[in-house]
Amino acid sequence: MGEVDVKLGIRQTLQKIEEAYGKRSAISNAPKPVLVAVSKTKPVELILDAYSIGQRHFGENYVQELVEKANDARILEHCQDIRWHFIGHLQSNKINKILNLPNLHMIQTVHSTKLAEGLNKAWGKLKEEHAEKSAKLNVLVQINTSGEDEKNGVQPEEAVGLYRYVLERCPHLHCEGVMTIGRFGHDYSTGPNPDFSTLMKCHQEICTTFERDPADVQVSMGMSDDFMQAIEEGSTIVRVGSSIFGARAKKVADA
C-alpha cells in the first residue's frame, strides 16, 4: 500500500483531464469532466489519501464492498462530503442495500426498465421514510456499445426508449445521461474508438428527441488507459482506477 502515491496519481490525472478538456473546449460547450476515482478492491486508507487533497467522487463496482466502505467509521468521520458512484452490475435483489447507504450520489448502470422500476419504487419508499432523501436519485442509462455478451447495458437502438422510460415512468429518478464500459484495449492507431462514437451518437439522439441541451446530458465513458481520448470525444465523467490507486488484484464475483 505504501508503494502507491495516490495524491500524485490524482494530481497527474486531473492535469491530463485539463489537457484533454482544453483540446475539446474549442468545439464543445460540454462541462469540464468529473473525475470518479475507482477505488474497487482498494483499502479505505487510499480513499482517505485521495479525499485529503480534494477528490470527492469515488466509484465502486461491488455491492458488498461499497456497503462496507460507505459505512466505515473513518469514511463517515473524515469524508463527510464523499460522493459514491455505483458503477457495477446491480441486481434487483440488492437495490435496498445500495440505496440505504450514506452519501450515495449516482447509479451509473441502469441497464433495463426492470432495474429502473425497482430503483424508482425503492427510492420513493425511502423518501417517505427519510426526509433527508427528498431529492431524486441520480442515474445514468448504461448502453452496451460493443455488443459483447459479457457487458451489460441496452443496445444502442434501445437507448432512447430506456431514457424515455426513466423520464416518464420513474418520478423518483433523475436520468442525468448515458454511460458505457466498452471494449477494452482499442488500438487508437487504427482510428477513433467506435464505442465512444456510438455512445456520443446515442447522446445526440437523446438530446434531439427530448430537446435537451447537450451540455446538460452527462456522458460517462473512459477509464485509465483511454480517458483522455474519451474526453476529446465528449465524455463528461471519467472513471479512473489503476492510474490513481495502482493495479488491482482480480476479485471473485460479488457476494
Side-chain angles (χ1 to χ4, degrees):
M1 187 176 71
E3 297 177 359
V4 179
D5 189 339
V6 170
K7 295 177 182 178
L8 178 61
I10 291 284
R11 292 189 182 105
Q12 289 179 335
T13 301
L14 290 174
Q15 184 175 2
K16 290 177 180 178
I17 288 174
E18 287 280 358
E19 180 183 334
Y21 180 64
K23 293 180 180 179
R24 186 189 75 190
S25 59
I27 58 173
S28 170
N29 66 338
K32 183 184 296 185
V34 172
L35 169 61
V36 174
V38 180
S39 47
K40 68 177 183 181
T41 78
K42 297 302 180 179
V44 166
E45 287 80 6
L46 297 188
I47 296 174
L48 295 174
D49 276 354
Y51 188 94
S52 73
I53 61 165
Q55 180 61 28
R56 292 296 179 264
H57 294 265
F58 291 83
E60 289 288 337
N61 287 63
Y62 306 111
V63 173
Q64 190 54 42
E65 188 172 1
L66 178 53
V67 169
E68 292 170 3
K69 288 176 176 175
N71 288 304
D72 186 280
R74 294 163 292 177
I75 295 288
L76 292 172
E77 180 181 355
H78 300 293
C79 307
Q80 295 183 10
D81 294 324
I82 198 167
R83 298 177 181 179
W84 292 111
H85 295 243
F86 187 72
I87 59 174
H89 177 53
L90 180 57
Q91 296 171 303
S92 295
N93 62 351
K94 295 180 181 176
I95 285 175
N96 287 328
K97 275 190 172 185
I98 289 283
L99 298 195
N100 277 294
L101 295 177
N103 298 309
L104 177 67
H105 180 69
M106 180 182 287
I107 305 291
Q108 290 205 17
T109 47
V110 175
H111 60 273
S112 67
T113 56
K114 178 184 176 183
L115 180 58
E117 182 180 8
L119 288 168
N120 182 64
K121 287 183 177 178
W123 194 253
K125 185 176 180 181
L126 277 176
K127 286 171 68 173
E128 292 177 0
E129 299 170 353
H130 303 284
E132 71 273 12
K133 293 187 182 291
S134 59
K136 293 184 178 183
L137 175 65
N138 298 320
V139 300
L140 298 178
V141 166
Q142 183 178 8
I143 301 168
N144 186 344
T145 54
S146 62
E148 296 171 277
D149 291 340
E150 65 270 25
K151 297 280 176 32
N152 293 298
V154 294
Q155 296 304 305
E157 61 269 20
E158 299 169 349
V160 169
L162 182 51
Y163 188 95
R164 184 188 303 278
Y165 184 88
V166 176
L167 194 67
E168 297 179 355
R169 304 283 295 276
C170 301
H172 303 299
L173 305 184
H174 177 220
C175 194
E176 290 213 4
V178 293
M179 151 311 177
T180 193
I181 294 175
R183 192 182 300 272
F184 297 118
H186 175 69
D187 181 1
Y188 283 93
S189 69
T190 65
N193 190 324
D195 287 309
F196 295 167
S197 301
T198 297
L199 192 65
M200 292 310 300
K201 183 179 179 182
C202 293
H203 176 263
Q204 184 57 54
E205 289 174 351
I206 285 170
C207 293
T208 300
T209 301
F210 301 100
E211 299 181 338
R212 298 287 308 276
D213 183 341
D216 293 333
V217 180
Q218 299 274 16
V219 178
S220 177
M221 63 184 187
M223 295 181 278
S224 286
D225 61 345
D226 59 10
F227 69 89
M228 293 185 73
Q229 291 92 341
I231 291 170
E232 291 182 39
E233 290 290 322
S235 180
T236 62
I237 301 173
V238 293
R239 311 179 304 270
V240 181
S242 56
S243 293
I244 295 171
F245 296 105
R248 63 177 64 90
K250 295 289 184 180
K251 178 169 174 135
V252 295
D254 196 14

